[in-house]
Amino acid sequence: MNRQSPRRTTARHGQQKPSRGRRLLKALGIGLAVVLVAAIGVTAWLYIDLSGTFGEDAVELQGEQPPAFSEFEGSANILIAGTDNCEPEYAAQFGDRCTDAEDGVRSDVLMVVHISEPPRRVTVVSFPRDLLVDIPSCTDANGNQTYEAYGQMINSAFGTGGLACSVATVENLTGLDIGYAASINWGGVIDVTNAIGGVEVCLATPMKDADSGIDLPAGTHELKGAEALAFLRARKSTTDGSDTARIGNQQLYMSSLVRKITSEQVLSDPALLLRLARTILSAVDPSTSLTNPVTLAQMGLALKDIPISDYVFVQYPATTSVVDANRLDPLPDAAAALFDALEKNEPLALADEGGETPDPETPAPETPETGTPAPTASATPDQEPVTLPGEVTGTTGDTEGCAAGRVY
């Protein structure tokens, strides 16, 4: 992979069809929307049931369409975007947080779900909204060509040229080839958490702020509906009010969500699985490459036996910007270590909080805030995990940590 050169194609990125009036999600929280559907094992009758309603707002991506997943022998990358507006029907509930931003719609949550080649693993890479990057030329929803922009917040790419421009920007930053993409709405998070019966989240400290609407004491909570959305959106009530802290909390939520989705409680309930599939598919606006539910079912065949420990959630490594203390600059060397490991399909291990490499013969240390071990991914018998640089923070699917927050 060559991360220094521009992507080879960007001309048609950003061709987004008009919305049906449905506004999109500010905080994602279900970054594994594709993986969730895949875990269901969608059959032919489900395809017939869903194919008429899925993909009406599909976004055309640049270049050749990916093959059906059953024919795909390598890895796959799915970009998931959540934007900072919500649907009009939620205006009464969320007030001015549902109004249009004066400077356009932005993707306040942006992540890539990486599904490896066999042996299959899933890595979710979250990108902080404050990350300063170069945005390539894109084609906006009106067919106009935009100019390249340098040193811009990564979340502004969506406002520049829609979902496909976010894809082009992340490709340009990471060197990944992203063949699938989707954006997700506020109502989807509420509906999915209700459909699954809630997601368990542990809070090490109370969290409260008026902006997100969260108001929870310390302890374990089964979050549903608007309360789950509030947790995922909460930024001011994180430990330091940063987007990176919010991403850390979201990753703990996603880890808990994956554990519940893959539990016997869910997998043994066909009615719940069907309801969940319909809910997820109605919540996303996909790229055209992701409009066939059979493709999702084929992904499910590849994903169904992945151990929970091989779901890894990481943040794109960044540091305080040299030009603006409220922004972040990429750390290319740490990022290269992450993406090189993904390209080689190596199992990942995360460094402990101090950034030191853990000794594989020594039990993982406990963190004072959560009492949980530093996360380490599993490996096949002939593979040793690759420990990522300490700047690459995150968690694994089998890590049951507690989110930290404050009363703001």
Side-chain angles (χ1 to χ4, degrees):
M1 294 184 294
N2 183 357
R3 295 176 192 80
Q4 304 302 318
S5 60
R7 301 303 305 163
R8 60 183 179 275
T9 54
T10 58
R12 292 181 60 195
H13 282 290
Q15 293 180 347
Q16 185 178 19
K17 297 182 180 180
S19 170
R20 294 168 295 178
R22 190 170 58 196
R23 303 305 175 94
L24 303 176
L25 168 70
K26 180 173 183 179
L28 179 58
I30 52 171
L32 295 181
V34 173
V35 178
L36 301 185
V37 177
I40 294 168
V42 185
T43 55
W45 62 269
L46 181 55
Y47 165 70
I48 295 172
D49 182 61
L50 296 174
S51 59
T53 59
F54 187 55
E56 295 178 12
D57 290 335
V59 176
E60 185 73 30
L61 302 185
Q62 167 68 35
E64 296 182 3
Q65 295 300 308
F69 201 81
S70 59
E71 302 170 5
F72 195 84
E73 297 180 354
S75 60
N77 297 301
I78 308 106
L79 182 135
I80 309 291
T83 67
D84 57 4
N85 282 354
C86 72
E87 304 89 332
E89 56 265 35
Y90 288 96
Q93 184 173 358
F94 295 105
D96 58 7
R97 295 188 295 276
C98 279
T99 60
D100 290 343
E102 293 181 358
D103 52 356
V105 177
R106 299 190 177 205
S107 58
D108 272 3
V109 174
L110 193 65
M111 56 184 68
V112 169
V113 180
H114 173 80
I115 304 172
S116 77
E117 61 186 20
R120 300 289 184 187
R121 302 181 178 92
V122 174
T123 304
V124 181
V125 184
S126 297
F127 298 86
R129 66 184 293 272
D130 298 328
L131 187 68
L132 298 179
V133 300
D134 297 337
I135 299 176
S137 174
C138 301
T139 303
D140 65 21
N142 297 320
N144 300 316
Q145 197 74 15
T146 66
Y147 293 102
E148 291 181 285
Y150 303 95
Q152 302 297 308
M153 289 173 60
I154 195 169
N155 69 338
S156 65
F158 195 98
T160 297
L163 179 63
C165 196
S166 291
V167 168
T169 300
V170 173
E171 285 182 331
N172 191 59
L173 174 67
T174 64
L176 295 173
D177 290 315
I178 299 174
Y180 307 90
S183 54
I184 303 179
N185 63 16
W186 273 26
V189 172
I190 293 174
D191 293 342
V192 167
T193 56
N194 287 337
I196 201 174
V199 176
E200 186 174 285
V201 170
C202 170
L203 296 183
T205 54
M207 292 185 67
K208 180 179 180 179
D209 73 71
D211 185 63
S212 68
I214 192 169
D215 185 2
L216 293 171
T220 300
H221 305 271
E222 194 83 10
L223 299 183
K224 299 180 182 179
E227 195 171 51
L229 182 62
F231 173 78
L232 296 166
R233 294 184 62 246
R235 175 169 179 166
K236 292 180 179 178
S237 55
T238 61
T239 51
D240 60 4
S242 69
D243 193 49
T244 55
R246 175 170 62 176
I247 288 174
N249 288 347
Q250 291 172 351
Q251 290 174 334
L252 289 173
Y253 175 96
M254 288 189 289
S255 177
S256 179
L257 180 60
V258 169
R259 289 195 298 273
K260 184 160 189 179
I261 286 290
T262 56
S263 69
E264 286 300 318
Q265 176 185 355
V266 174
L267 294 179
S268 62
D269 188 340
L272 173 58
L273 292 177
L274 176 57
R275 183 168 67 251
L276 187 59
R278 286 172 170 161
T279 301
I280 292 170
L281 294 183
S282 67
V284 303
D285 287 325
S287 61
T288 53
S289 55
L290 201 59
T291 55
N292 189 343
V294 169
T295 299
L296 302 182
Q298 291 166 339
M299 287 184 180
L301 295 176
L303 294 167
K304 65 183 180 67
D305 295 324
I306 296 179
I308 291 296
S309 58
D310 282 337
Y311 285 79
V312 180
F313 307 89
V314 297
Q315 294 193 43
Y316 184 91
T319 188
T320 302
S321 175
V322 297
V323 298
D324 187 339
N326 295 316
R327 300 291 179 259
L328 298 171
D329 287 333
L331 291 173
D333 291 342
L338 168 63
F339 293 112
D340 285 345
L342 294 184
E343 184 178 43
K344 296 174 183 177
N345 195 17
E346 296 172 322
L348 304 178
L350 300 171
D352 63 17
E353 291 188 339
E356 299 174 356
T357 301
D359 184 346
E361 301 299 325
T362 304
E366 291 189 351
T367 62
E369 291 82 7
T370 65
T372 57
T376 302
S378 66
T380 55
D382 59 342
Q383 287 184 299
E384 289 294 327
V386 174
T387 301
L388 297 172
E391 296 89 348
V392 183
T393 61
T395 189
T396 59
D398 59 348
T399 300
E400 299 184 23
C402 291
R406 60 179 177 171
V407 176
Y408 182 82

